[in-house]
Amino acid sequence: MRRVAWLVLAIGCSGTSSTSPTDQSELEGCGASVDALPGTGAEMYIPLDALDPVVMVHGPQGGWHVETAAFVTGSTAEVSVLPRIVRKSDGVRLAGDQQEQFIALVDYDDDACTGSFFSVRAFLDDTFGELDTGTSPQDVICGLAGEILTLTIAVTDLNTGAGTEATVDVTATLDPNDIQICP
């Protein structure tokens, strides 16, 4: 019985050794030069053009966020994502002090090195106005309606370290749940 086990072990371990890279993306060139097209969307990637509206979603726990998304090219399937939002009029950072998210791209195409992601939340800091004006977080968000915001999405390929930042100016829009509350 022992001889059979050793024979199976010897056959199972025999074979040729390869010195090829362990990461198939190195052979295909994925991850060498990453680019992204910024977007929005909770259920799918929706591209954004300059000054398109983005909803400041009033979340179930009382805070606000913007759903970000992007179509990513030139990367492997695993990326990190960090969205940032700045009010264009004065440069105040509204979102981006959160941890980056590590995700696998949706509908990733190995041959084209492309995929997308969606539903990456940029959590809005609704307290910056309280410090300066004494207003409530709701008033801060209401005051952002119609403002031009600069949305930047940083994407880094987790396998190669190559990255990019994609930026688009958008128009802040109230969540339908906030329209009745805002003056």
Side-chain angles (χ1 to χ4, degrees):
M1 185 85 132
R2 287 186 185 171
R3 288 184 182 170
V4 173
W6 281 106
L7 181 60
V8 171
L9 182 59
I11 292 172
C13 292
S14 68
T16 59
S17 174
S18 172
T19 58
S20 65
T22 58
D23 185 353
Q24 185 66 22
S25 66
E26 290 177 20
L27 298 175
E28 298 172 14
C30 295
S33 178
V34 178
D35 201 5
L37 299 171
T40 189
E43 298 177 10
M44 63 183 278
Y45 162 72
I46 301 168
L48 285 171
D49 290 323
L51 304 181
D52 275 354
V54 294
V55 176
M56 298 178 291
V57 178
H58 198 159
Q61 296 177 337
W64 289 266
H65 65 271
V66 171
E67 296 286 357
T68 69
F71 182 77
V72 180
T73 61
S75 77
T76 61
E78 295 84 23
V79 297
S80 70
V81 178
L82 180 61
R84 292 188 312 270
I85 298 176
V86 173
R87 186 167 51 189
K88 189 160 178 100
S89 63
D90 58 8
V92 171
R93 181 184 271 196
L94 304 175
D97 292 333
Q98 64 201 46
Q99 290 282 336
E100 61 192 347
Q101 292 187 34
F102 302 102
I103 59 175
L105 296 174
V106 176
D107 295 327
Y108 185 75
D109 183 329
D110 288 322
D111 296 327
C113 305
T114 62
S116 64
F117 66 84
F118 53 88
S119 196
V120 173
R121 294 178 175 177
F123 295 101
L124 296 172
D125 180 3
D126 55 19
T127 61
F128 72 93
E130 290 178 303
L131 300 175
D132 298 335
T133 63
T135 59
S136 72
Q138 183 71 52
D139 291 338
V140 170
I141 297 300
C142 292
L144 289 174
E147 289 263 359
I148 305 302
L149 308 177
T150 300
L151 169 63
T152 302
I153 301 174
V155 179
T156 303
D157 187 302
L158 292 176
N159 294 301
T160 67
T164 190
E165 288 191 351
T167 300
V168 63
D169 288 340
V170 295
T171 305
T173 305
L174 292 174
D175 185 311
N177 294 323
D178 288 330
I179 292 174
Q180 300 166 6
I181 301 170
C182 291

